[in-house]
Amino acid sequence: MKLLRYILLLSAVVTLQTGWAQRSDYEPEFTVGVKGGTTLSRVSFTPTVTQALLLGYTGGVSVRYIEEKYFGLIAEVNFTQAGWNETFDTDPYTYSHTLNYVTVPFLTHFFFGNRVVRGFINAGPQIGFLLGDSYKSSFDVNNLPEFSQKSKVKEIYTMDIAHKIDYGIMAGAGIEFRIRKSHGIVLEGRYYYGLGDIFKNRKKDVFSASHNQIITISLGYLYHF
């Protein structure tokens, strides 16, 4: 499974590098932008932790360069919230854990349409750097209530995030509207799957896997040079 993840990551990097090498007679486009939006996230745990999606926020800046018809490249720096929102079947308890990242995606940009309205697909690798984390709980995590006696992963409430760097694959789609010559509005949805674990994953550790999964919905402004 880990080998497959590394192969996917390597494929995305090779695709990105190949794109830089391509040239054509297409009139180049250079764009900078800002965006903001919402994240819906969870962590894929093994063993399983029952969850609902955790609501968070994202925002950042982007640079896009297009030199091929239907093809371009995007680099971004974003603030992104991830984490998990644990659910309890019968007990009136709540627990959520938020992870704050600076994320840097490098994306291949495929587009179609015209200069007024375009549809697009973005895909590529992303790396994230953990700024900090926090939790909200309706119970004392250091003095767990009765429900924890049935839990196989009760250590989760007091575990520190072990890996401060996250990496994975992102893909998304959206639509761009050109307003006048230099201005544009873009609406996009993305899905990110982390290939690294946030907790240690040795045999003696609680979790053998703990991957970030993030859905992002954002609205952005683009300036075309």
Side-chain angles (χ1 to χ4, degrees), residues 41-176:
S41 61
R42 67 187 302 275
V43 176
S44 179
F45 288 112
T46 305
T48 301
V49 173
T50 305
Q51 305 171 58
L53 292 173
L54 177 67
L55 180 65
Y57 304 97
T58 187
V61 297
S62 66
V63 176
R64 186 180 73 189
Y65 182 68
I66 296 174
E67 195 175 12
E68 294 283 333
K69 190 175 182 180
Y70 309 124
F71 177 85
L73 298 169
I74 298 174
E76 297 179 352
V77 178
N78 301 314
F79 170 79
T80 304
Q81 290 188 314
W84 71 96
N85 181 21
E86 185 170 353
T87 58
F88 303 88
D89 294 334
T90 58
D91 300 306
Y93 302 115
T94 60
Y95 180 88
S96 63
H97 201 123
T98 301
L99 311 176
N100 296 318
Y101 288 96
V102 170
T103 55
V104 184
F106 298 95
L107 305 174
T108 301
H109 177 71
F110 301 97
F111 64 93
F112 51 91
N114 52 51
R115 286 188 174 270
V116 178
V117 180
R118 287 180 178 176
F120 62 85
I121 297 172
N122 295 327
Q126 173 179 286
I127 186 168
F129 305 92
L130 185 68
L131 296 175
D133 66 299
S134 61
Y135 70 87
K136 294 181 180 179
S137 175
S138 64
F139 53 87
D140 183 356
V141 297
N142 295 305
N143 186 20
L144 297 179
E146 184 178 351
F147 79 85
S148 67
Q149 304 303 319
K150 300 178 290 183
S151 174
K152 296 181 181 180
V153 291
K154 56 187 177 182
E155 297 89 347
I156 190 175
Y157 305 116
T158 55
M159 292 171 60
D160 293 328
I161 304 301
H163 301 128
K164 309 299 183 181
I165 297 178
D166 188 52
Y167 58 93
I169 297 295
M170 173 181 288
I175 188 167
E176 177 183 342

